[in-house]
Amino acid sequence: MRLFHAATALAATSALALTLTACGNGSGNDASGDQSSAPASSPSATASGGTQAENAGATKETGSSTGGGTGTTTGGSGGGTGAGRCHTAGLGFSFGSGDGKVSSSDDQQQLAVVLKNKTSAACTIQGFPGVDLKSSGGSWSLTRSGATPKKVTLAAGSSTMFTITFLPWNQGSGTEFKATSVVVTPPNETTSTTLAWPGGSVLLQDGATHPGTYTGPVGG
């Protein structure tokens, strides 16, 4: 009887040990399974998310680059070279050698005013300059000709010009305007430059509809 009970107890103990071992192995497999599956899915998700982010970033950068390039090209095309407007401070002013008679019937003369780009960068200029003849007694703002202005691009150091057409005063021809200087304001500028007037007295026609003294456009 004692031998039977001992054998039974030993069998029960062995069965319990086997059960505990099996349970312990099962729990370890479950934990190992959780740890192995999480890293496997995490890198995959991260890589996928990273690819989408990179693709989105590349698309945005391309769009920005294309938009910037198109804008620059359009600006360059519109401005001829993409150059900015010429400013008074960057221009040199002088008289050219183009003065002479335009018409022998009314004795009109022309005086060329040269504008030189003094800066190191190209600039553009378009339109009519403001031209005011000055005398000791007053000022006369000249009217514009009927010519159509064109855009002129001035490279660094290059020049363009406009023409002042004027009707000299002669004894008995009318009111004398004793011009002493001419004030020139480039197109779209508010700053002026004053030059000594070399043309002598001008026939004053400041109230005439079509005066014989007027200014042409830059580059015209």
Side-chain angles (χ1 to χ4, degrees), residues 95 111 130-142 164 166 176-185 192-202 204 206 213:
F95 294 116
L111 182 66
V131 178
D132 295 282
L133 292 181
K134 299 287 186 178
S135 72
S136 59
S139 178
W140 177 11
S141 296
L142 303 189
I164 299 174
F166 64 98
E176 178 183 13
F177 186 87
K178 297 181 180 180
T180 56
S181 62
V182 56
V183 179
V184 177
T185 308
S192 306
T193 292
T194 301
L195 301 171
W197 175 252
S201 293
V202 179
L204 182 62
D206 54 350
T213 300

Side-chain angles (χ1 to χ4, degrees), residues 13-78:
T13 301
S14 299
L16 178 61
L18 290 174
T19 301
L20 291 174
T21 301
C23 291
N25 290 339
S27 299
N29 289 339
D30 290 343
S32 175
D34 290 342
Q35 292 175 359
S36 62
S37 62
S41 61
S42 296
S44 174
T46 302
S48 174
T51 301
Q52 291 175 357
E54 291 172 1
N55 289 340
T59 302
K60 184 177 181 180
E61 183 178 352
T62 301
S64 176
S65 176
T66 302
T70 302
T72 302
T73 302
T74 302
S77 176

